[in-house]
Amino acid sequence: MDRRPTSRDVAARAGVSQSTVSFVYTGRDGISEATRKRVLLAATELGYRPNLAARAMRTRRTGRLAVVIPVSALNPLTMLRGATAAAQETGYVVEVVSLPDDPIERTARLAEMVDARQHEGILSFTPLQVPEVTGEDAPIVLSVSEFDDEMHATGHLTDAQPIVLMMERLVELGHRRFLHITGPLEFPSAVARRDAYIATVERLGLDSLGVIEGEWSGEVGMAVVGSLPDDAPPFALIAANDYVAAGAIRAATLRGWSLPGDMSVTGWDDIGLSAFLVPSLTSVVQDRERLGDYSMRRLIAAVRSEEPPERPTDLQRIIWRESIGAPRA
């Protein structure tokens, strides 16, 4: 097809009316999920893109959504990938906007975006002071508050239940002695995991070798394990993340300790190399892409005055590997 495909072409390929194609792209109620998917598939096959300017003039809908993040945000790419995919699947264009770190400047920039009425919805993963908006074409502003101003996790990803489950599994394997290296305790996630560790030690009557605060680095893992007394083993180390765990594994190996016989170890984040350590590392996966998808679908539901999607309950899961096992006799 040499000319630019139109909604009429999409309708013909999908076997629906032209108005149905329009309803899919404007979020009109009454379109079945099967029909919506058929229309979007036909649009993809034809390379169809709706004329957003014409739509805005006709329906007062821009077809645009915005995701706003602080300038200093660290590695938001996986969440953005999930959010943008969810928006595109439902026919929206997504723009990513960096907001100033200063709270006053950030509020002013957000107010400018709201007043411009160029987006139907604005999604933020950090807390925002949302300006009062009125009018039929005022955008929906959704702050899901999964992170604080410095992108420290404060929402779903602070759930420390995996710590409890890993410790219970280690106890089943025969471990009674434990050690925990936390991340920096200005991070809510580090506090939640420390508290879960302490509560599990007390609940199960375990012997704790200590709770040691440290950075999210391999150097911390090496230093802590390297400084333990010779009679520390056998024990299980609950590390703040995979980098700390990797440093601990190296220090234990240099001391001639067997893994997992002398030291079992768990990590967090399941970084790319964790499966290839010796031994491979038991860790926790955080599905940030799915979190982005869920958050965007919440925004789209709000924009369309629909019921919000159910909150996922499995954004974190444990990957069991060789770094945990029965302690030596």
Side-chain angles (χ1 to χ4, degrees):
M1 181 181 295
D2 294 332
R3 61 180 175 80
R4 177 175 177 173
T6 67
S7 60
R8 190 184 302 276
D9 299 319
V10 175
R13 174 163 293 207
V16 299
S17 67
Q18 192 174 0
S19 60
T20 297
V21 174
S22 176
F23 292 163
V24 167
Y25 279 96
T26 56
R28 184 76 65 87
D29 294 336
I31 303 297
S32 71
E33 182 66 13
T35 298
R36 187 184 67 81
K37 288 183 177 180
R38 193 161 72 250
V39 168
L40 293 175
L41 177 60
T44 299
E45 291 173 346
L46 291 171
Y48 169 75
R49 294 292 183 271
N51 187 325
L52 298 180
R55 180 203 297 181
M57 293 177 63
R58 187 174 62 252
T59 67
R60 305 185 74 180
R61 292 177 179 268
T62 66
R64 287 187 172 89
L65 303 173
V67 178
V68 295
I69 57 175
V71 170
S72 61
L74 297 176
N75 193 24
L77 294 181
T78 52
M79 286 187 301
L80 289 177
R81 183 164 57 240
T84 53
Q88 291 167 357
E89 181 183 325
T90 48
Y92 288 94
V93 171
V94 177
E95 297 174 0
V96 179
V97 180
S98 295
L99 294 183
D101 289 332
D102 179 77
I104 297 177
E105 294 180 8
R106 183 184 309 169
T107 300
R109 177 70 181 96
L110 179 64
E112 291 175 1
M113 292 179 63
V114 169
D115 289 341
R117 303 296 208 264
Q118 293 183 2
H119 304 94
E120 293 185 44
I122 300 171
L123 172 65
S124 174
F125 293 103
T126 58
L128 286 178
Q129 184 176 340
V130 180
E132 184 176 348
V133 292
T134 58
E136 183 180 345
D137 59 347
I140 300 293
V141 181
L142 176 63
S143 176
V144 296
S145 298
E146 293 294 342
F147 300 87
D148 63 19
D149 287 342
E150 298 180 1
M151 291 301 288
H152 299 168
T154 59
H156 292 67
L157 300 184
T158 61
D159 180 13
Q161 184 63 19
I163 293 290
V164 177
L165 297 177
M166 290 189 292
M167 291 180 68
E168 289 176 344
R169 175 58 180 153
L170 285 159
V171 169
E172 290 175 357
L173 291 169
H175 283 278
R176 303 298 300 177
R177 293 158 59 84
F178 285 79
L179 171 67
H180 180 39
I181 303 175
T182 77
L185 293 178
E186 64 263 28
F187 284 76
S189 56
V191 173
R193 295 174 207 169
R194 178 203 62 186
D195 292 348
Y197 170 86
I198 293 172
T200 303
V201 165
E202 294 176 351
R203 176 171 60 87
L204 299 180
L206 306 175
D207 180 13
S208 178
L209 302 181
V211 175
I212 302 171
E213 181 181 0
E215 297 297 322
W216 311 100
S217 69
E219 288 81 3
V220 168
M222 281 199 67
V224 170
V225 173
S227 66
L228 292 175
D230 291 337
D231 62 355
F235 69 100
L237 169 63
I238 308 299
N241 66 5
D242 289 8
Y243 293 107
V244 174
I249 288 173
R250 176 170 174 77
T253 301
L254 292 175
R255 297 189 66 167
W257 293 352
S258 66
L259 289 99
D262 287 320
M263 183 184 80
S264 285
V265 59
T266 67
W268 195 286
D269 290 333
D270 195 39
I271 61 175
L273 291 176
S274 297
F276 302 100
L277 297 174
V278 181
S280 57
L281 181 62
T282 291
S283 190
V284 178
V285 171
Q286 293 185 319
D287 197 339
R288 297 190 176 211
E289 184 170 346
R290 190 173 177 199
L291 174 60
D293 175 278
Y294 162 69
S295 301
M296 179 57 75
R297 292 184 189 279
R298 279 184 60 192
L299 175 65
I300 293 170
V303 166
R304 295 179 171 180
S305 300
E306 297 174 349
E307 287 294 318
E310 292 187 11
R311 185 172 70 180
T313 58
D314 57 347
L315 290 173
Q316 299 184 144
R317 67 183 186 277
I318 302 170
I319 306 296
W320 302 101
R321 297 196 182 101
E322 301 163 351
S323 65
I324 69 169
R328 63 172 170 78

